[in-house]
Structure formats: C-alpha cells, structure tokens
Amino acid sequence: MTSERTWLTPDEASSYLSIGRTKLYELAQQGKIPAQKIDKQWRFNTAELDSWLSVSKTIGGYFQTVEANVIDNPLLREPQKEAYKKLYDFFKGAPKEKVALVQLPVGCGKSGLVAIAPLGIAEGRVLVITPNLTIRNELKNNLDITNLKCFWRRTNVLKKVDMVSGPYVTTLDTGNVTVTDDSHFVVTNVQQLATNTDKWLNKFPADYFDMIIVDEAHHSAAA
C-alpha cells in the first residue's frame, strides 16, 4: 500500500486503512496506532501506517512471530536471559499443561522476565497474577508500550516498528471482560481473583489464556 501523501488527515487515514473514523480515533488515543498531533489535529504518516499494517498480528500469533532481541541483548541482565532460555527450552514443543517454577535473586529483573517469558513460547493471551494491587499497577506500567519508560523501550527487546501492534496490556478493572480481547497481557492481583471468581475467571473460555504467570507465588497459599 503506497500513497503520494506523507501525512494524512483522519478522514484520509480512515479511508487508507479501511476502518471507521471512530475506531481510528480510539486507536490513536490509546496509542495503538502511529499518530501525531500537529496543530492540535491528529495526523497519520503513511510510511508508519504501512509498517503498522505489515506487522499487525493477531493476539494468538504475536508472541510466536514477533522478532525479539533477548539472548544477545546487552541491556538485559544475565539472570533474565538465563531464565528465559531455560523456559524456552522447557516449554517449546511441550504439552500445554506443563508447569515451571523460576526463582530469581532479588533485584535481578523479575518484571522484565515476566515481559519476555511469552516470547516464542505463548501461542495466545497471557494472564499475569500478582500478589497485590501495588505490584499489579507497577507491572502494568512496566509492560505498557505507551509508557516511554516501559521495559520494552528501555531494553530494545522489540523493534519500534513491532510495538505499534503490541504487546498491549490491560487490567481487570471495569468488570467488562471484553477489554481484554485486544490485549496480549492481562494483569491482575490474586485478591481480585479470589474474591470475585464468578465475576472474572468463569467468564473466560477455557482456552482464553495460553500462558499464566504467577508473580511472587510464595506470597499467597496455593488453592
């Protein structure tokens, strides 16, 4: 898809992408599509839109197909890379029901490992269960690609062009489970699930989450 115009108005971008103008505004406001405000008006760069279209991936295929820089990444800590490699070797081609326990020394980048763990392993959406609300919010911010200080941007694990199509993260806050449909990571805390089982987990199909990560599992007794 090419165009002689470098910058498009919302109407032009809507036509260019074959999506509704309302949806276009929603994506722009959420940071899920490359867009800039010029003189207080949304404008869309055709080259960036083309890249966004070319790398746009389904939730199910994102972690399997996105190009990630992990093992040779000097910005990642050695325990993170070692743990990721062991997880990859353990889960790749393994039965879905396999379970792994990872222990990291304090200060070795647990949140970063949560971020990279699904890469090349998960074949769908990832549920992350944290021990409390504070850690949940911190982890959500760390995974949020719209946050300029997020893990992805600090470490260059993903190329910028790939981050226009994910990975997206959300939390279970609104009571409306459909907010999770367009997200790669869903982050919650164990208290929320334990006190509202019918409100949350029972509403998801059995195969809705392909990977479940329990962060700091030692904080709560196993059910």
Side-chain angles (χ1 to χ4, degrees), residues 75-116:
L75 298 177
L76 293 180
R77 300 172 183 177
E78 288 305 317
Q80 290 174 322
K81 293 189 282 188
E82 181 181 353
Y84 170 77
K85 186 177 186 306
K86 289 186 176 181
L87 284 172
Y88 184 88
D89 292 342
F90 181 76
F91 281 111
K92 199 60 179 174
K96 289 284 187 180
E97 63 271 14
K98 289 195 78 172
V99 177
L101 176 65
V102 178
Q103 291 180 298
L104 284 182
V106 175
C108 285
K110 168 179 57 68
S111 296
L113 180 58
V114 170
I116 63 177

Tab-separated table of all heavy atoms in Angstrom, residues 75-116:
chain	number	residue	atom	x	y	z
A	75	LEU	N	21.374	-5.096	27.198
A	75	LEU	CA	20.586	-4.311	28.145
A	75	LEU	C	19.780	-5.188	29.104
A	75	LEU	O	19.184	-4.675	30.048
A	75	LEU	CB	19.647	-3.368	27.387
A	75	LEU	CG	20.343	-2.325	26.504
A	75	LEU	CD1	19.318	-1.489	25.750
A	75	LEU	CD2	21.241	-1.417	27.346
A	76	LEU	N	19.767	-6.485	28.851
A	76	LEU	CA	19.106	-7.412	29.764
A	76	LEU	C	20.126	-7.983	30.742
A	76	LEU	O	21.307	-8.126	30.419
A	76	LEU	CB	18.444	-8.552	28.990
A	76	LEU	CG	17.255	-8.193	28.104
A	76	LEU	CD1	16.723	-9.438	27.412
A	76	LEU	CD2	16.148	-7.530	28.912
A	77	ARG	N	19.660	-8.335	31.920
A	77	ARG	CA	20.540	-8.909	32.927
A	77	ARG	C	20.743	-10.396	32.650
A	77	ARG	O	19.866	-11.061	32.106
A	77	ARG	CB	19.944	-8.692	34.318
A	77	ARG	CG	19.768	-7.210	34.654
A	77	ARG	CD	19.011	-7.010	35.940
A	77	ARG	NE	18.795	-5.592	36.201
A	77	ARG	CZ	18.107	-5.117	37.235
A	77	ARG	NH1	17.566	-5.958	38.102
A	77	ARG	NH2	17.956	-3.814	37.402
A	78	GLU	N	21.892	-10.891	33.039
A	78	GLU	CA	22.215	-12.290	32.770
A	78	GLU	C	21.200	-13.258	33.376
A	78	GLU	O	20.815	-14.235	32.721
A	78	GLU	CB	23.630	-12.610	33.264
A	78	GLU	CG	24.731	-11.987	32.419
A	78	GLU	CD	24.628	-12.362	30.944
A	78	GLU	OE1	24.371	-13.555	30.649
A	78	GLU	OE2	24.784	-11.473	30.092
A	79	PRO	N	20.728	-13.037	34.623
A	79	PRO	CA	19.711	-13.954	35.164
A	79	PRO	C	18.423	-13.957	34.344
A	79	PRO	O	17.759	-14.993	34.229
A	79	PRO	CB	19.468	-13.415	36.576
A	79	PRO	CG	20.746	-12.735	36.944
A	79	PRO	CD	21.208	-12.102	35.662
A	80	GLN	N	18.059	-12.799	33.771
A	80	GLN	CA	16.869	-12.734	32.924
A	80	GLN	C	17.059	-13.586	31.676
A	80	GLN	O	16.179	-14.378	31.300
A	80	GLN	CB	16.584	-11.284	32.516
A	80	GLN	CG	16.106	-10.388	33.640
A	80	GLN	CD	15.982	-8.947	33.201
A	80	GLN	OE1	16.807	-8.447	32.429
A	80	GLN	NE2	14.959	-8.261	33.683
A	81	LYS	N	18.208	-13.446	31.034
A	81	LYS	CA	18.470	-14.188	29.805
A	81	LYS	C	18.593	-15.684	30.075
A	81	LYS	O	18.089	-16.514	29.304
A	81	LYS	CB	19.734	-13.640	29.128
A	81	LYS	CG	19.560	-12.216	28.608
A	81	LYS	CD	20.725	-11.759	27.765
A	81	LYS	CE	21.910	-11.357	28.597
A	81	LYS	NZ	22.975	-10.725	27.767
A	82	GLU	N	19.250	-16.025	31.173
A	82	GLU	CA	19.408	-17.437	31.513
A	82	GLU	C	18.056	-18.079	31.822
A	82	GLU	O	17.762	-19.192	31.370
A	82	GLU	CB	20.339	-17.581	32.714
A	82	GLU	CG	20.584	-19.028	33.119
A	82	GLU	CD	21.487	-19.151	34.330
A	82	GLU	OE1	22.031	-18.116	34.776
A	82	GLU	OE2	21.650	-20.277	34.833
A	83	ALA	N	17.226	-17.359	32.592
A	83	ALA	CA	15.905	-17.890	32.939
A	83	ALA	C	15.035	-18.029	31.694
A	83	ALA	O	14.316	-19.023	31.530
A	83	ALA	CB	15.225	-16.982	33.959
A	84	TYR	N	15.096	-17.027	30.802
A	84	TYR	CA	14.300	-17.102	29.575
A	84	TYR	C	14.713	-18.299	28.731
A	84	TYR	O	13.858	-19.041	28.218
A	84	TYR	CB	14.449	-15.824	28.751
A	84	TYR	CG	13.827	-15.967	27.375
A	84	TYR	CD1	12.448	-15.898	27.203
A	84	TYR	CD2	14.623	-16.233	26.261
A	84	TYR	CE1	11.871	-16.072	25.956
A	84	TYR	CE2	14.053	-16.403	25.011
A	84	TYR	CZ	12.679	-16.324	24.860
A	84	TYR	OH	12.113	-16.510	23.622
A	85	LYS	N	16.011	-18.518	28.576
A	85	LYS	CA	16.482	-19.636	27.755
A	85	LYS	C	16.008	-20.972	28.326
A	85	LYS	O	15.591	-21.872	27.586
A	85	LYS	CB	18.005	-19.626	27.648
A	85	LYS	CG	18.552	-20.675	26.676
A	85	LYS	CD	20.049	-20.588	26.538
A	85	LYS	CE	20.554	-21.550	25.465
A	85	LYS	NZ	20.119	-22.945	25.686
A	86	LYS	N	16.054	-21.094	29.650
A	86	LYS	CA	15.605	-22.339	30.266
A	86	LYS	C	14.097	-22.523	30.095
A	86	LYS	O	13.618	-23.643	29.871
A	86	LYS	CB	15.996	-22.355	31.742
A	86	LYS	CG	17.499	-22.530	31.952
A	86	LYS	CD	17.854	-22.678	33.422
A	86	LYS	CE	19.349	-22.938	33.585
A	86	LYS	NZ	19.724	-23.107	35.006
A	87	LEU	N	13.343	-21.424	30.202
A	87	LEU	CA	11.902	-21.510	29.972
A	87	LEU	C	11.605	-21.915	28.534
A	87	LEU	O	10.745	-22.763	28.277
A	87	LEU	CB	11.239	-20.160	30.275
A	87	LEU	CG	11.048	-19.790	31.736
A	87	LEU	CD1	10.563	-18.349	31.861
A	87	LEU	CD2	10.058	-20.731	32.409
A	88	TYR	N	12.320	-21.306	27.606
A	88	TYR	CA	12.101	-21.610	26.190
A	88	TYR	C	12.396	-23.084	25.908
A	88	TYR	O	11.601	-23.781	25.269
A	88	TYR	CB	12.990	-20.720	25.324
A	88	TYR	CG	12.763	-20.908	23.843
A	88	TYR	CD1	11.788	-20.168	23.177
A	88	TYR	CD2	13.508	-21.838	23.120
A	88	TYR	CE1	11.572	-20.346	21.816
A	88	TYR	CE2	13.296	-22.023	21.767
A	88	TYR	CZ	12.330	-21.273	21.119
A	88	TYR	OH	12.115	-21.467	19.777
A	89	ASP	N	13.527	-23.557	26.401
A	89	ASP	CA	13.900	-24.958	26.173
A	89	ASP	C	12.908	-25.908	26.837
A	89	ASP	O	12.628	-26.996	26.319
A	89	ASP	CB	15.307	-25.225	26.713
A	89	ASP	CG	16.389	-24.502	25.920
A	89	ASP	OD1	16.104	-24.093	24.772
A	89	ASP	OD2	17.503	-24.336	26.448
A	90	PHE	N	12.380	-25.494	27.980
A	90	PHE	CA	11.466	-26.350	28.739
A	90	PHE	C	10.095	-26.450	28.070
A	90	PHE	O	9.506	-27.528	27.973
A	90	PHE	CB	11.313	-25.797	30.155
A	90	PHE	CG	10.411	-26.614	31.046
A	90	PHE	CD1	10.846	-27.806	31.602
A	90	PHE	CD2	9.125	-26.180	31.338
A	90	PHE	CE1	10.021	-28.558	32.430
A	90	PHE	CE2	8.290	-26.925	32.160
A	90	PHE	CZ	8.740	-28.119	32.708
A	91	PHE	N	9.579	-25.305	27.593
A	91	PHE	CA	8.211	-25.271	27.088
A	91	PHE	C	8.081	-25.523	25.588
A	91	PHE	O	7.028	-25.945	25.128
A	91	PHE	CB	7.563	-23.917	27.399
A	91	PHE	CG	7.081	-23.792	28.809
A	91	PHE	CD1	7.706	-22.932	29.694
A	91	PHE	CD2	6.012	-24.543	29.265
A	91	PHE	CE1	7.266	-22.812	31.002
A	91	PHE	CE2	5.560	-24.434	30.571
A	91	PHE	CZ	6.192	-23.566	31.445
A	92	LYS	N	9.111	-25.245	24.824
A	92	LYS	CA	8.966	-25.350	23.376
A	92	LYS	C	8.646	-26.783	22.978
A	92	LYS	O	9.412	-27.708	23.206
A	92	LYS	CB	10.249	-24.884	22.673
A	92	LYS	CG	10.026	-24.542	21.208
A	92	LYS	CD	9.012	-23.411	21.049
A	92	LYS	CE	8.819	-23.050	19.574
A	92	LYS	NZ	7.751	-22.057	19.408
A	93	GLY	N	7.493	-26.958	22.392
A	93	GLY	CA	7.075	-28.276	21.954
A	93	GLY	C	6.553	-29.160	23.064
A	93	GLY	O	6.256	-30.333	22.842
A	94	ALA	N	6.422	-28.594	24.279
A	94	ALA	CA	5.964	-29.382	25.424
A	94	ALA	C	4.441	-29.365	25.504
A	94	ALA	O	3.786	-28.495	24.929
A	94	ALA	CB	6.552	-28.816	26.711
A	95	PRO	N	3.853	-30.313	26.229
A	95	PRO	CA	2.399	-30.307	26.433
A	95	PRO	C	1.948	-29.019	27.107
A	95	PRO	O	2.680	-28.428	27.901
A	95	PRO	CB	2.173	-31.519	27.352
A	95	PRO	CG	3.360	-32.396	27.132
A	95	PRO	CD	4.508	-31.466	26.856
A	96	LYS	N	0.735	-28.583	26.798
A	96	LYS	CA	0.224	-27.322	27.316
A	96	LYS	C	0.181	-27.272	28.839
A	96	LYS	O	0.306	-26.216	29.441
A	96	LYS	CB	-1.186	-27.073	26.771
A	96	LYS	CG	-1.234	-26.722	25.301
A	96	LYS	CD	-0.789	-25.299	25.079
A	96	LYS	CE	-0.987	-24.888	23.629
A	96	LYS	NZ	-0.566	-23.499	23.382
A	97	GLU	N	-0.015	-28.428	29.478
A	97	GLU	CA	-0.225	-28.419	30.924
A	97	GLU	C	1.071	-28.368	31.728
A	97	GLU	O	1.046	-28.416	32.957
A	97	GLU	CB	-1.031	-29.647	31.349
A	97	GLU	CG	-0.351	-30.991	31.079
A	97	GLU	CD	-0.675	-31.534	29.702
A	97	GLU	OE1	-1.192	-30.762	28.877
A	97	GLU	OE2	-0.412	-32.722	29.464
A	98	LYS	N	2.210	-28.266	31.084
A	98	LYS	CA	3.468	-28.235	31.826
A	98	LYS	C	3.569	-26.976	32.677
A	98	LYS	O	3.099	-25.902	32.309
A	98	LYS	CB	4.663	-28.313	30.873
A	98	LYS	CG	4.847	-29.676	30.226
A	98	LYS	CD	6.210	-29.819	29.584
A	98	LYS	CE	7.288	-30.089	30.605
A	98	LYS	NZ	8.591	-30.422	29.973
A	99	VAL	N	4.205	-27.123	33.843
A	99	VAL	CA	4.348	-26.023	34.799
A	99	VAL	C	5.820	-25.859	35.144
A	99	VAL	O	6.546	-26.844	35.318
A	99	VAL	CB	3.543	-26.311	36.085
A	99	VAL	CG1	3.767	-25.201	37.108
A	99	VAL	CG2	2.066	-26.464	35.767
A	100	ALA	N	6.269	-24.615	35.235
A	100	ALA	CA	7.662	-24.341	35.591
A	100	ALA	C	7.711	-23.371	36.759
A	100	ALA	O	6.855	-22.491	36.890
A	100	ALA	CB	8.411	-23.756	34.398
A	101	LEU	N	8.708	-23.531	37.606
A	101	LEU	CA	8.944	-22.623	38.727
A	101	LEU	C	10.288	-21.944	38.507
A	101	LEU	O	11.305	-22.613	38.322
A	101	LEU	CB	8.950	-23.388	40.053
A	101	LEU	CG	9.285	-22.567	41.309
A	101	LEU	CD1	8.207	-21.520	41.552
A	101	LEU	CD2	9.439	-23.481	42.524
A	102	VAL	N	10.284	-20.617	38.516
A	102	VAL	CA	11.515	-19.853	38.306
A	102	VAL	C	11.812	-19.044	39.560
A	102	VAL	O	10.943	-18.334	40.073
A	102	VAL	CB	11.376	-18.895	37.101
A	102	VAL	CG1	12.650	-18.073	36.940
A	102	VAL	CG2	11.084	-19.673	35.831
A	103	GLN	N	13.035	-19.145	40.043
A	103	GLN	CA	13.473	-18.356	41.189
A	103	GLN	C	14.602	-17.435	40.746
A	103	GLN	O	15.602	-17.891	40.187
A	103	GLN	CB	13.957	-19.260	42.324
A	103	GLN	CG	12.845	-20.062	42.992
A	103	GLN	CD	13.373	-20.937	44.112
A	103	GLN	OE1	14.182	-21.830	43.888
A	103	GLN	NE2	12.914	-20.674	45.320
A	104	LEU	N	14.423	-16.138	40.998
A	104	LEU	CA	15.447	-15.156	40.657
A	104	LEU	C	15.951	-14.479	41.927
A	104	LEU	O	15.162	-14.208	42.839
A	104	LEU	CB	14.880	-14.078	39.728
A	104	LEU	CG	14.663	-14.406	38.253
A	104	LEU	CD1	14.150	-13.169	37.537
A	104	LEU	CD2	15.936	-14.892	37.601
A	105	PRO	N	17.240	-14.171	41.992
A	105	PRO	CA	17.744	-13.389	43.127
A	105	PRO	C	17.077	-12.020	43.160
A	105	PRO	O	16.648	-11.497	42.124
A	105	PRO	CB	19.245	-13.266	42.829
A	105	PRO	CG	19.547	-14.396	41.889
A	105	PRO	CD	18.308	-14.568	41.066
A	106	VAL	N	16.975	-11.442	44.339
A	106	VAL	CA	16.370	-10.121	44.485
A	106	VAL	C	17.127	-9.103	43.632
A	106	VAL	O	18.363	-9.094	43.602
A	106	VAL	CB	16.386	-9.674	45.965
A	106	VAL	CG1	15.864	-8.243	46.099
A	106	VAL	CG2	15.554	-10.625	46.811
A	107	GLY	N	16.371	-8.272	42.916
A	107	GLY	CA	16.985	-7.218	42.121
A	107	GLY	C	17.507	-7.649	40.769
A	107	GLY	O	18.258	-6.909	40.131
A	108	CYS	N	17.103	-8.831	40.310
A	108	CYS	CA	17.607	-9.331	39.025
A	108	CYS	C	16.612	-9.158	37.878
A	108	CYS	O	16.785	-9.744	36.812
A	108	CYS	CB	18.005	-10.796	39.156
A	108	CYS	SG	19.565	-11.025	40.039
A	109	GLY	N	15.560	-8.383	38.102
A	109	GLY	CA	14.678	-8.062	36.987
A	109	GLY	C	13.520	-9.009	36.790
A	109	GLY	O	13.288	-9.495	35.682
A	110	LYS	N	12.767	-9.256	37.873
A	110	LYS	CA	11.613	-10.149	37.788
A	110	LYS	C	10.580	-9.638	36.790
A	110	LYS	O	10.042	-10.411	35.993
A	110	LYS	CB	10.991	-10.291	39.173
A	110	LYS	CG	9.634	-10.956	39.215
A	110	LYS	CD	9.135	-11.063	40.636
A	110	LYS	CE	9.068	-9.726	41.313
A	110	LYS	NZ	8.033	-8.831	40.737
A	111	SER	N	10.293	-8.336	36.823
A	111	SER	CA	9.292	-7.775	35.910
A	111	SER	C	9.710	-7.941	34.453
A	111	SER	O	8.885	-8.209	33.581
A	111	SER	CB	9.070	-6.290	36.219
A	111	SER	OG	8.527	-6.118	37.508
A	112	GLY	N	10.998	-7.784	34.201
A	112	GLY	CA	11.496	-7.971	32.846
A	112	GLY	C	11.333	-9.403	32.379
A	112	GLY	O	11.008	-9.661	31.216
A	113	LEU	N	11.541	-10.355	33.285
A	113	LEU	CA	11.365	-11.757	32.920
A	113	LEU	C	9.905	-12.058	32.616
A	113	LEU	O	9.601	-12.814	31.690
A	113	LEU	CB	11.865	-12.670	34.035
A	113	LEU	CG	11.734	-14.168	33.759
A	113	LEU	CD1	12.487	-14.564	32.490
A	113	LEU	CD2	12.221	-14.989	34.948
A	114	VAL	N	8.993	-11.456	33.377
A	114	VAL	CA	7.562	-11.616	33.086
A	114	VAL	C	7.267	-11.138	31.668
A	114	VAL	O	6.502	-11.764	30.931
A	114	VAL	CB	6.709	-10.832	34.104
A	114	VAL	CG1	5.246	-10.786	33.662
A	114	VAL	CG2	6.815	-11.459	35.487
A	115	ALA	N	7.903	-10.043	31.274
A	115	ALA	CA	7.669	-9.480	29.945
A	115	ALA	C	8.172	-10.395	28.835
A	115	ALA	O	7.478	-10.630	27.841
A	115	ALA	CB	8.341	-8.111	29.837
A	116	ILE	N	9.377	-10.929	28.984
A	116	ILE	CA	9.972	-11.700	27.887
A	116	ILE	C	9.577	-13.173	27.904
A	116	ILE	O	9.734	-13.866	26.893
A	116	ILE	CB	11.512	-11.584	27.895
A	116	ILE	CG1	12.106	-12.187	29.171
A	116	ILE	CG2	11.937	-10.134	27.720
A	116	ILE	CD1	13.633	-12.170	29.211
